[in-house]
Amino acid sequence: GANTPIEHQSSVQSRYFTQYGLTPLVRGIQKAIDQTDPSPVDRARPFRICLSLMDRGEIGGLVIPAIFLPALESARQYEDIAASKDDFADVLRSASVFFDGVESGLIWGEIWGVLRQALSSSSADAATSLDRLALVRFIVTHFNVREEEMLLVHVPLMALALLVMITSAGDATADARGSGMVFSVDVTASALELAETLVELIPERTFARHATNGSPTLARQKHPWGLRNTEILNNIRDFYERDEGNLDTSSAPFSANDIGELLLRESGSLVKAVLHRDQVRPGLEARAKLLVALLKKLPPWTSSLQAEIFPIIHGTLVEQAAHDSSLPFPTLSALVSLVTTLAITSPEHEEAEASHRLTELVDPMVRQAWVHLSPSRPKYQVEVVRCLWQLQSALTLGDRRIAAALCALVTEQQVAHRDGRASMPGRRFSILWTHSLNLLNVLSDQLPSSQSPLNMTHGAGMKRFGREDYEIMLSRPLLLLLDACDNEQSEHYTFMRQWLQNLATGDRVLSILMRRLLSFDFLAPVLQGPSGVTAEGGAVDPSQIDVDLCLYYLHTLSNVLRVPTGRIWSAMAREVPLLDEATSEQLTDFGLTPDTTFQGFFAETCMRVLHLKLPSGSSRQSLATSSEAYRGSLTLLQQLLSGPHARVVSDIDWASPLLDRLLASLQDDMPSVQVLLLEAVLAALQLRWVQDEPSPRAAPRPVSKEAGTAPRTSISTERSEQAHVSVAPPPPSTLLECLQGGFSSRESRPILDNWVTFLAECLPYYSETIFQVLIPLVEVFCAQIGQHLKALQETFRTAEDGLEVAPEATLIALLNGIEQILAKAHDRLMTDEVKVEHVKAPEQAQGFFGNMVSGVFTSEAPQPRRATANDRLTVLLSFKDTVRICFAVWSWGTTGSSAVPADSPSLASFNYSSLRIRNRARRLLEHLFAAETLECLETTVEIWKASTLAAQATSIAPVFDLLHVLDGSRPKNTIPAIFNAIYSRANPNALEPTSKSTLASDLADTDVVAFLAEYARSLEDDTMDEIWADCMTFLRDVLANPFPHRQTLPRLLEFAAILGEKADNTTFGEQRKMRRDLSDLFSRLLTATFTTKPIGFSGEPPQPAGTEKPEPRTPIGDGTVSRPVSQSHDVISILAMIVPKLPQILVESDRVLGAATTISTSVIGPTIRAKTFPDNVSTSFLDLLYELSRLPSAQKSWRKDLAEAFNDARFFASPWSLVEQRWLPLLRHWALGDKDRMPELLSRLSAPTTAGIVFGVGATSARMDADRKTQLNLRRIALLILAAADDTTATNIGSIEDKVVELLTATAMSSPSSATRADVYMVLRAVVLKHSSVHLAALWPTINAELQATISSVMPGEESDVYNKTSVLQACKLLDTLLVLAPDEFQLHEWLYITDTIDAVYRPPHWQPVALVDEVSEQLGTTMTPS
């Protein structure tokens, strides 16, 4: 009761103020507010006044509502006219103090009124509405509206009211909701912006599920989703107009949960209203942004927004794609933000459905974003990339749909764009790559998760991306684009090459490939530790593992490395960056250390793929897959080991395991794998070499790619300018084994050219040990060449078809290889020999060696037999083996059994194949001869010697044919070389060290001289001009000191004869002087031959005539006689060939006679007078004697020698074969030239006599001596008659008859006795054989009488001492001869001796023989039967 008067007084005062003071006060304050004075003091005064009035509640409560909005409007307007920001700040400070003193209900009630004004149908125009909305935005943004009550109640309510008004104005069904308002676009946009500002002010705790402030009755009566817009607005109006927004006297019209749902409903309606059109209307960005902001504030709950909005968006995107049109980026960005937020804010039980709905939108959204990544649209590129990663953040961690969509776009555009836009996919991806990596780097390094541009909510399911998460989206499209590196002709490849060259993030590309290779479990257990040299794993089946995928990654990296870019290679040399824990564990399990570089990792991976083993019995598909995997890994490994930064992995021994793998590949039918293995081994060996150098080389050593052509085509004979640039480390021990196996394996035949190239590249590594490996390698090559040559010969020689042998290219490749080895070894030998200190030779005398053709052996270095002697011998032995096998190749098909018949159906192919390999062998021989002329020539001599000893006459000619076709073996070079070979054996002290032979060939000086003679014989006559001076000088030098050459003088004599013969056939120089010089040298040689080695004291026992097989006279060329090499030292056989040419050689007859006399005196006479005559007479001797007999100026000497031999009693001990083939022609020639020879022999026959010889020992001896002499003379007469031509001695028939008749009178006691009768019959037989019947008429009586008497003496009882058994035998032979020859005169008397009728065969009974022989037969048969 005490307070009643006071309250009453206050009420009275209030009414009084309201009636008399309120209006003037308000008007005065309003006037102060409306003033246009820009002074901040004047503009701030009304706010201070109002603030002071607020101290009196009864005044302030009435004044403030009237001036609240005008005061704030004044402050907003002053912002535009303020002279400076500081002035506005002063006014705003005063206004803020005033604002903070006003009740929140009054503030938001006034704001509610402004919004109703702005968005009501009674608004004058859009400008007014925009102005009102701007005022509210000014209030919200510049004054403190973040009090708890405001944030939890008034701001959500005002945001809801604003959305409801917007929805009611823009909804086509607004009539059903009780409103007909329609706003302009600007008003709507401004209202949405204000709504978004309000929503941003709402804290998340406002919509917690336990919030129950508000009207529970309304929440229970009707679900908020069922409220009409008018109901919502009415409830809010009542709250602010009726209840004045006072939460102390009334509750909020809606609970927090209801407000949240209503806000979600209205914002969703706004979005759906825009998306329901065929084309997305402007304003979607703001509506979507508002909805996204709400979704981030609201807790997850079940709503129909996802089910409604997702299909609408999907349909919109599909419609855009159907019309090939693109959405504006702001629209696309809004859609991405909307769908991702809807997806990640869904409740847990709806996450799967939300994720499914989102995945349906990924492809169309990525396609829309792809358009904005065009290089010609740079405006939103960074934002587009952010949108894509925002979309990726809403997907599950392993979801690769965005990457798949990008791959599809790349593929489609690569197929569609075949013109100048073919590189567009790569250009767009490069933009995506660059901005993605920059974005992820920013997220990882600078911004915390809550401030990430992608993480637009916290704790709402968005994932934070790290620096290494780029491959989630970029790896697969990148690999797809890198596939274009296969086609270097495409425009896309051109762009990718440029992009890779300028790519600063190449390590990210390598990381993508590394991660994928780490995922293959089959690689980890194969080998332990880097380089894979410690252990090998078991066999794996490629069909059961992802070998194809692994190969794809290796191939992709290989394509990248083929691009000439230093950035990628620099990235390869860097260590692998720190990875996530799982990848780091994989790297550790892989057996690599943390400091492993990319290059080391990829090289190790290649080694592990290379050492995958196939199980036995693998299928063909598995073999093909493994072969492809091996090839891919080897290609990449070769690039890595020969790259510009290969030294980062040089501390690992890559060569040894590669060589082991190469050895194993020799058993596999994978030639292409062998080729790549060879290249990889070369790269590994090169890496070993450069490891010790001070700096890496700028580029790897190039490998020759030309098939069928060796990198080195000739054996170098030049000296290196520098002895050694660097010393290569010794190669692995298995390298030699690999080389031997590679050239021996059948599997490597198709790629022998690659092996040859490999050999050429490996030889520098053997620079210090080339001589140790030379012979093993040469043996392999020679064996393989011989084997392939034999197979080829057999193929063409046999009629069998279908034989599979290596082609001629194999032989050519092997010849190329052996040339490479010999070239390297010879170069090394020359270098070593140059280093050896040697004493300078004295100046050459003006003798033979001073006048020899200079420059013949320019390729040979000094050869002091010191430390390099063994090395030289090794090289020369290899040269010798090579010359032999090359000769075998070159001589194929020339003559003999290796040739193909002219009518063979394969003749053309044979000619082609043989020509190719013969030409290659010839070129190699030319190079060998150029390098080591003397040694190669001696090897050729050995071949010639072996062929002659083996009686391979067909192989003799090709030796000389070969020498004639070689460019480096012209006669002017070959002849001096042969002279040096002779001197090296006969008189080595006469040679300089540079000209001496090493005597590695098993040749005597006689063999070389024999070859010299045969070689000279094979030369064309025109070549004499080239060699004449050298030959004359050589012969003079020999004659100056003939003793060392005593064994070879006969052959040198033959050589001189050949020179004379050929000089006679051509014209060059001063003929007379040349012929005179040669004649003089020949005469001196002939004399020296017999002086140094007399024929009677040669120490070589002559071949017994009875054991010697007569040799047929075989003409060669102009009729000379050929001899085997074994008789090259036989003076007689050589003289037999020379004598016919003496007139051509000596020219002058006096010299010819002198030479013949010398030969007769030194050879013929001593031989005939020797004690061993006639055993010492050979066919060669008789040939010599025969040739002497044909010399017109030497008749006297040879006739004397022949007569002496003929009259020698031992003459008839000669073998008949020798007599028939050699003596008879000589005697015939002798008889023709000496007509007195027969009379002289007849004169030696004396008539039988008995006077003074009756009895006594002396009588018998004298008689036997007379018989012996008579018999010898009779035999000489018979032999001379047989030797002469028919009827030659016809003039002596009478004398012969007289002597025969005289001798037939001899008795057993006469001297000569009847013992000579057999020889008389022999003479008669010779006369009958060699004379015509007309000359025998006088002899028939004598012959008939003697035949009858001699045959009759055989009759029983007719015993006589005149006819002995020998005489009877010779008589029967004479009768037999007459019966065979049947002369006309004898036919008349034939019946006296034999029966030649039928009775001789079928005797009639009681037949009595008439013929003497038949009678004797009958008598002897009768006499012998009883006995």
Side-chain angles (χ1 to χ4, degrees):
N3 295 332
T4 300
I6 296 174
E7 291 179 359
H8 175 72
Q9 183 180 4
S10 177
S11 176
V12 172
Q13 292 177 352
S14 177
R15 286 195 301 269
Y16 180 83
F17 174 75
T18 301
Q19 183 177 0
Y20 298 104
L22 177 60
T23 302
L25 181 59
V26 170
R27 188 183 302 114
I29 296 175
Q30 184 67 45
K31 184 178 180 181
I33 292 174
D34 293 339
Q35 65 180 338
T36 58
D37 188 356
S39 173
V41 176
D42 296 336
R43 299 303 291 262
R45 185 176 292 111
F47 296 104
R48 295 190 181 96
I49 295 172
C50 293
L51 182 61
S52 62
L53 292 175
M54 290 173 60
D55 292 338
R56 301 292 297 271
E58 63 276 10
I59 297 176
L62 297 175
V63 175
I64 296 305
I67 64 171
F68 177 76
L69 289 178
L72 296 183
E73 177 65 23
S74 175
R76 183 176 74 87
Q77 293 175 356
Y78 183 72
E79 182 179 12
D80 298 332
I81 65 174
S84 64
K85 292 184 179 180
D86 293 337
D87 293 347
F88 173 71
D90 291 340
V91 175
L92 183 61
R93 192 177 304 110
S94 299
S96 297
V97 174
F98 163 71
F99 184 86
D100 291 340
V102 181
E103 294 291 336
S104 60
L106 176 61
I107 295 173
W108 291 102
E110 294 297 328
I111 293 176
W112 159 254
V114 174
L115 291 179
R116 288 195 61 190
Q117 264 187 331
L119 301 177
S120 65
S121 59
S122 61
S123 298
D125 51 17
T128 303
S129 299
L130 292 174
D131 184 69
R132 297 291 90 196
L133 293 174
L135 175 60
V136 176
R137 188 181 310 108
F138 178 79
I139 296 172
V140 173
T141 57
H142 287 79
F143 297 101
N144 181 19
V145 292
R146 288 172 175 79
E147 294 181 1
E148 188 71 11
E149 180 181 335
M150 293 183 184
L151 295 177
L152 296 180
V153 179
H154 298 293
V155 173
L157 281 175
M158 205 56 57
L160 176 60
L162 188 58
L163 291 179
V164 170
M165 294 177 189
I166 297 173
T167 304
S168 300
D171 195 347
T173 60
D175 293 341
R177 298 193 179 186
S179 178
M181 298 179 293
V182 178
F183 301 146
S184 66
V185 175
D186 295 337
V187 174
T188 304
S190 180
L192 289 173
E193 183 179 356
L194 178 58
E196 182 184 359
T197 303
L198 294 174
V199 170
E200 290 293 341
L201 292 175
I202 302 175
E204 293 184 11
R205 63 182 183 275
T206 304
F207 304 109
R209 291 191 176 275
H210 60 273
T212 58
N213 58 320
S215 175
T217 305
L218 179 61
R220 288 193 300 268
Q221 289 176 353
K222 197 171 188 179
H223 192 275
W225 285 85
L227 293 175
R228 293 174 176 268
N229 288 350
T230 54
E231 294 180 13
I232 297 173
L233 292 176
N234 291 335
N235 288 334
I236 296 175
R237 183 191 59 197
D238 292 343
F239 175 68
Y240 284 108
E241 294 181 0
R242 186 187 61 190
D243 300 331
E244 298 181 353
N246 191 349
L247 293 177
D248 295 333
T249 59
S250 63
S251 61
F254 305 104
S255 66
N257 292 336
D258 292 341
I259 293 175
E261 291 194 27
L262 290 172
L263 286 171
L264 196 60
R265 185 192 75 174
E266 296 305 319
S267 60
S269 299
L270 290 173
V271 172
K272 289 185 289 183
V274 179
L275 293 176
H276 268 301
R277 307 294 186 267
D278 293 339
Q279 293 184 352
V280 179
R281 293 177 56 189
L284 173 64
E285 298 81 3
R287 301 173 188 232
K289 189 175 181 181
L290 176 62
L291 179 56
V292 168
L294 278 172
L295 290 172
K296 293 178 180 180
K297 301 290 184 179
L298 297 173
W301 54 34
T302 303
S303 67
S304 60
L305 279 179
Q306 294 177 3
E308 296 174 357
I309 293 179
F310 275 67
I312 297 174
I313 295 177
H314 185 271
T316 301
L317 295 174
V318 171
E319 185 71 17
Q320 294 291 326
H323 291 83
D324 197 18
S325 60
S326 60
L327 293 173
F329 173 72
T331 302
L332 176 63
S333 176
L335 291 177
V336 172
S337 298
L338 179 58
V339 296
T340 53
T341 307
L342 284 172
I344 64 178
T345 57
S346 59
E348 294 183 1
H349 63 277
E350 294 184 3
E351 284 184 356
E353 183 179 358
S355 177
H356 173 70
R357 290 170 178 167
L358 178 62
T359 54
E360 293 180 347
L361 298 176
V362 168
D363 184 74
M365 284 188 169
V366 172
R367 289 180 179 273
Q368 290 293 329
W370 186 254
V371 176
H372 295 282
L373 288 175
S374 173
S376 60
R377 296 186 178 186
K379 184 175 182 180
Y380 296 111
Q381 289 178 352
V382 176
E383 290 77 8
V384 169
V385 173
R386 290 176 181 271
C387 286
L388 288 176
W389 281 103
Q390 183 178 347
L391 185 61
Q392 179 67 53
S393 67
L395 300 173
T396 58
L397 185 61
D399 199 308
R400 297 294 188 272
R401 282 181 173 82
I402 296 181
L406 291 173
C407 292
L409 287 168
V410 170
T411 304
E412 292 173 5
Q413 294 189 7
Q414 284 179 340
V415 173
H417 295 165
R418 297 295 185 184
D419 51 7
R421 296 182 296 165
S423 62
M424 188 57 67
R427 297 180 185 277
R428 289 179 172 175
F429 177 80
S430 65
I431 296 171
L432 175 61
W433 174 273
T434 301
H435 295 313
S436 294
L437 294 184
N438 292 338
L439 174 63
L440 295 178
N441 287 337
V442 171
L443 292 178
S444 301
D445 298 338
Q446 298 179 4
L447 299 181
S449 176
S450 60
Q451 298 179 11
S452 170
L454 300 182
N455 303 340
M456 289 175 287
T457 68
H458 70 279
M462 296 288 286
K463 295 173 286 295
R464 179 181 178 182
F465 292 104
R467 173 190 308 275
E468 302 299 329
D469 290 330
Y470 61 93
E471 60 178 291
I472 297 175
M473 183 188 303
L474 303 180
S475 59
R476 293 184 180 180
L478 173 65
L479 294 174
L480 192 61
L481 289 170
L482 291 178
D483 291 342
C485 293
D486 282 335
N487 183 12
E488 297 185 4
Q489 306 302 322
S490 65
E491 181 188 353
H492 182 61
Y493 169 78
T494 304
F495 168 76
M496 291 302 296
R497 180 182 63 184
Q498 181 181 4
W499 181 65
L500 289 173
Q501 288 175 344
N502 300 324
L503 187 62
T505 55
D507 56 331
R508 305 300 180 90
V509 178
L510 301 178
S511 294
I512 289 175
L513 296 172
M514 185 192 70
R515 288 173 183 268
R516 275 154 176 72
L517 291 173
L518 283 173
S519 64
F520 296 114
D521 294 336
F522 64 88
L523 292 178
V526 176
L527 301 171
Q528 299 176 0
S531 79
V533 296
T534 56
E536 295 187 359
V540 295
D541 188 354
S543 62
Q544 305 298 324
I545 58 178
D546 295 330
V547 173
D548 289 336
L549 187 56
C550 177
L551 175 62
Y552 166 74
Y553 294 138
L554 295 179
H555 181 67
T556 299
L557 179 58
S558 177
N559 287 340
V560 171
L561 296 181
R562 283 194 298 112
V563 176
T565 171
R567 292 180 178 267
I568 294 294
W569 281 110
S570 298
M572 290 288 291
R574 292 197 293 267
E575 294 183 3
V576 175
L578 296 178
L579 306 173
D580 56 86
E581 184 177 355
T583 307
S584 300
E585 291 180 358
Q586 286 180 325
L587 196 61
T588 303
D589 295 341
F590 206 73
L592 299 177
T593 58
D595 59 348
T596 301
T597 61
F598 283 112
Q599 194 157 349
F601 168 78
F602 289 122
E604 180 68 20
T605 302
C606 293
M607 291 296 297
R608 299 191 180 190
V609 174
L610 190 59
H611 282 79
L612 289 176
K613 289 185 177 181
L614 291 177
S616 58
S618 299
S619 64
R620 181 173 299 180
Q621 179 64 30
S622 297
L623 292 174
T625 302
S626 62
S627 175
E628 189 174 357
Y630 296 154
R631 292 196 301 270
S633 61
L634 285 170
T635 301
L636 177 57
L637 184 61
Q638 194 273 337
Q639 292 175 283
L640 295 173
L641 297 184
S642 59
H645 297 280
R647 292 191 64 176
V648 299
V649 293
S650 61
D651 56 334
I652 301 175
D653 182 14
W654 303 100
S656 296
L658 283 173
L659 287 171
D660 294 338
R661 186 63 183 85
L662 181 58
L663 272 176
S665 69
L666 297 178
Q667 310 300 325
D668 304 331
D669 188 14
M670 297 180 182
S672 59
V673 174
Q674 282 191 36
V675 173
L676 296 174
L677 270 170
L678 294 176
E679 296 178 357
V681 170
L682 283 178
L685 292 175
Q686 180 67 23
L687 192 59
R688 288 165 55 95
W689 196 338
V690 303
Q691 181 180 2
D692 298 330
E693 294 184 357
S695 61
R697 299 193 175 184
R701 178 170 182 161
V703 178
S704 175
K705 297 181 181 179
E706 181 179 0
T709 303
R712 181 171 186 151
T713 58
S714 65
I715 293 183
S716 172
T717 58
E718 299 180 356
R719 299 296 167 266
S720 175
E721 296 181 359
Q722 298 179 356
H724 289 285
V725 176
S726 61
V727 178
S733 58
T734 52
L735 179 57
L736 177 60
E737 186 180 355
C738 279
L739 290 172
Q740 291 176 305
F743 287 104
S744 303
S745 173
R746 292 178 58 88
E747 306 301 334
S748 61
R749 287 180 181 176
I751 57 168
L752 271 183
D753 286 332
N754 300 88
W755 275 95
V756 172
T757 303
F758 176 72
L759 172 64
E761 296 292 339
C762 288
L763 287 178
Y765 305 112
Y766 283 111
S767 59
E768 301 298 324
T769 57
I770 184 64
F771 304 114
Q772 283 78 9
V773 302
L774 179 60
I775 290 182
L777 288 176
V778 171
E779 286 179 350
V780 169
F781 275 98
C782 291
Q784 290 301 310
I785 293 172
Q787 177 182 343
H788 294 321
L789 178 63
K790 183 177 180 182
L792 271 177
Q793 291 175 343
E794 186 67 22
T795 299
F796 284 102
R797 187 165 51 243
T798 60
E800 183 179 355
D801 193 11
L803 293 177
E804 294 186 359
V805 296
E808 70 278 356
T810 301
L811 273 174
I812 294 175
L814 290 171
L815 291 172
N816 291 338
I818 199 172
E819 182 179 17
Q820 295 293 330
I821 304 170
L822 296 177
K824 181 62 178 179
H826 191 264
D827 288 346
R828 178 67 184 185
L829 178 63
M830 295 296 100
T831 303
D832 292 346
E833 289 182 343
V834 167
K835 293 179 180 180
V836 177
E837 183 181 359
H838 58 279
V839 180
K840 184 178 180 181
E843 185 177 355
Q844 295 179 355
Q846 293 299 320
F848 164 62
F849 293 101
N851 297 330
M852 286 288 284
V853 177
S854 61
V856 177
F857 305 108
T858 56
S859 65
E860 296 183 4
Q863 305 175 15
R865 298 184 64 86
R866 297 179 182 178
T868 60
N870 290 336
D871 296 340
R872 167 161 282 277
L873 181 60
T874 300
V875 173
L876 294 182
L877 289 176
S878 301
F879 268 53
K880 290 168 63 67
D881 292 342
T882 307
V883 170
R884 289 191 183 96
I885 197 65
C886 286
F887 174 77
V889 173
W890 184 87
S891 61
W892 176 37
T894 53
T895 53
S897 59
S898 63
V900 175
D903 58 348
S904 173
S906 62
L907 182 60
S909 297
F910 166 76
N911 290 335
Y912 171 77
S913 299
S914 61
L915 181 62
R916 284 195 67 196
I917 63 174
R918 290 182 68 205
N919 287 341
R920 185 63 188 91
R922 178 180 58 81
R923 289 196 302 272
L924 178 54
L925 285 171
E926 289 175 352
H927 303 153
L928 294 174
F929 271 79
E932 293 288 346
T933 306
L934 182 57
E935 303 299 336
C936 293
L937 183 63
E938 289 183 355
T939 305
T940 307
V941 176
E942 279 189 306
I943 297 173
W944 173 80
K945 176 185 175 182
S947 64
T948 54
L949 290 177
Q952 296 177 355
T954 58
S955 299
I956 299 176
V959 173
F960 301 114
D961 293 342
L962 175 62
L963 292 177
H964 296 333
V965 300
L966 294 180
D967 292 339
S969 62
R970 293 180 57 84
K972 65 179 179 181
N973 298 333
T974 303
I975 288 293
I978 298 177
F979 293 162
N980 284 346
I982 296 172
Y983 260 94
S984 297
R985 289 161 174 81
N987 189 14
N989 294 328
L991 285 176
E992 292 183 352
T994 57
S995 302
K996 288 183 181 179
S997 169
T998 59
L999 303 180
S1001 301
D1002 185 16
L1003 293 173
D1005 55 349
T1006 54
D1007 299 327
V1008 181
V1009 176
F1011 179 82
L1012 171 65
E1014 296 300 328
Y1015 176 72
R1017 182 177 288 111
S1018 68
L1019 293 175
E1020 297 288 340
D1021 296 339
D1022 295 337
T1023 59
M1024 290 297 104
D1025 189 15
E1026 300 179 8
I1027 65 174
W1028 185 265
D1030 293 336
C1031 294
M1032 294 299 100
T1033 305
F1034 173 74
L1035 293 177
R1036 290 191 187 97
D1037 197 77
V1038 169
L1039 289 173
N1041 184 17
F1043 186 77
H1045 302 275
R1046 62 188 180 279
Q1047 299 294 336
T1048 61
L1049 285 176
R1051 274 296 193 179
L1052 292 177
L1053 193 65
E1054 179 185 1
F1055 172 65
I1058 295 171
L1059 292 178
E1061 179 185 356
K1062 291 186 176 295
D1064 187 62
N1065 297 333
T1066 185
T1067 302
F1068 65 93
E1070 299 179 10
Q1071 282 289 307
R1072 179 174 298 180
K1073 180 179 181 301
M1074 291 166 45
R1075 302 301 297 274
R1076 184 173 61 252
D1077 292 344
L1078 180 62
S1079 175
D1080 180 65
L1081 289 175
F1082 182 84
S1083 301
R1084 293 172 58 192
L1085 273 175
L1086 186 63
T1087 302
T1089 300
F1090 299 131
T1091 301
T1092 57
K1093 189 179 179 183
I1095 193 69
F1097 303 97
S1098 62
E1100 300 169 1
Q1103 186 178 8
T1107 61
E1108 181 183 18
K1109 182 178 180 180
E1111 299 178 4
R1113 297 170 59 86
T1114 305
I1116 295 181
D1118 49 285
T1120 57
V1121 181
S1122 64
R1123 292 157 308 285
V1125 180
S1126 59
Q1127 297 180 356
S1128 62
H1129 58 276
D1130 186 359
V1131 179
I1132 297 176
S1133 61
I1134 295 173
L1135 291 174
M1137 186 205 72
I1138 294 176
V1139 167
K1141 309 299 179 183
L1142 286 178
Q1144 295 176 327
I1145 301 169
L1146 302 177
V1147 182
E1148 299 176 1
S1149 59
D1150 293 343
R1151 289 181 179 273
V1152 175
L1153 178 59
T1157 302
T1158 301
I1159 294 173
S1160 178
T1161 303
S1162 302
V1163 178
I1164 305 300
T1167 300
I1168 292 175
R1169 290 188 291 271
K1171 295 180 180 180
T1172 57
F1173 182 83
D1175 293 338
N1176 61 346
V1177 175
S1178 64
T1179 57
S1180 300
F1181 175 81
L1182 295 178
D1183 287 339
L1184 173 60
L1185 187 57
Y1186 178 78
E1187 296 297 342
L1188 283 174
S1189 68
R1190 297 178 62 186
L1191 291 176
S1193 58
Q1195 297 296 321
K1196 183 177 180 180
S1197 59
W1198 75 268
R1199 289 180 183 277
K1200 176 179 175 297
D1201 294 333
L1202 182 59
E1204 186 176 356
F1206 186 69
N1207 291 324
D1208 195 322
R1210 298 169 295 177
F1211 176 80
F1212 292 101
S1214 301
W1216 169 243
S1217 60
L1218 194 63
V1219 172
E1220 182 183 15
Q1221 295 181 14
R1222 296 295 190 270
W1223 281 113
L1224 288 182
L1226 273 171
L1227 294 174
R1228 181 184 298 112
H1229 187 63
W1230 185 44
L1232 286 175
D1234 192 354
K1235 301 296 184 181
D1236 297 334
R1237 187 58 51 198
M1238 184 61 70
E1240 192 270 334
L1241 290 174
L1242 290 174
S1243 65
R1244 295 179 185 180
L1245 298 176
S1246 59
T1249 178
T1250 57
I1253 303 178
V1254 178
F1255 58 89
V1257 177
T1260 302
S1261 176
R1263 185 167 53 252
M1264 292 180 64
D1265 183 63
D1267 288 347
R1268 184 179 61 81
K1269 292 181 179 180
T1270 303
Q1271 288 173 344
L1272 287 174
N1273 287 326
L1274 287 172
R1275 291 178 182 178
R1276 292 186 184 105
I1277 293 172
L1279 182 59
L1280 192 60
I1281 293 173
L1282 290 174
D1286 292 349
D1287 297 330
T1288 299
T1289 57
T1291 58
N1292 303 112
I1293 291 295
S1295 301
I1296 294 174
E1297 180 184 6
D1298 294 341
K1299 292 296 181 180
V1300 167
V1301 170
E1302 289 179 358
L1303 292 175
L1304 290 177
T1305 61
T1307 63
M1309 301 302 295
S1310 63
S1311 177
S1313 67
S1314 58
T1316 61
R1317 192 174 296 271
D1319 297 285
V1320 172
Y1321 293 157
M1322 191 183 303
V1323 171
L1324 291 175
R1325 187 149 55 96
V1327 170
V1328 171
L1329 285 171
K1330 301 296 290 185
H1331 293 82
S1332 304
S1333 300
V1334 68
H1335 301 296
L1336 302 178
L1339 294 176
W1340 291 122
T1342 304
I1343 292 175
N1344 287 329
E1346 284 301 313
L1347 286 176
Q1348 292 180 12
T1350 305
I1351 295 174
S1352 298
S1353 65
V1354 186
M1355 298 286 287
E1358 296 290 338
E1359 297 181 357
S1360 174
D1361 55 357
V1362 177
Y1363 304 102
N1364 55 22
K1365 296 180 181 180
T1366 303
S1367 59
V1368 172
L1369 176 62
Q1370 290 297 331
C1372 291
K1373 288 185 177 182
L1374 175 60
L1375 176 60
D1376 183 65
T1377 302
L1378 292 172
L1379 290 174
V1380 173
L1381 296 177
D1384 295 339
E1385 295 284 340
F1386 181 74
Q1387 291 181 11
L1388 299 175
H1389 307 90
E1390 182 179 349
W1391 62 275
L1392 295 174
Y1393 301 99
I1394 63 172
T1395 303
D1396 60 352
T1397 63
I1398 194 65
D1399 294 339
V1401 181
Y1402 302 101
R1403 296 183 179 183
H1406 311 290
W1407 176 76
Q1408 292 295 326
V1410 178
L1412 180 59
V1413 175
D1414 293 334
E1415 183 179 357
V1416 172
S1417 175
E1418 287 290 334
Q1419 291 295 328
L1420 292 176
T1422 303
T1423 303
M1424 295 177 67
T1425 300
S1427 61

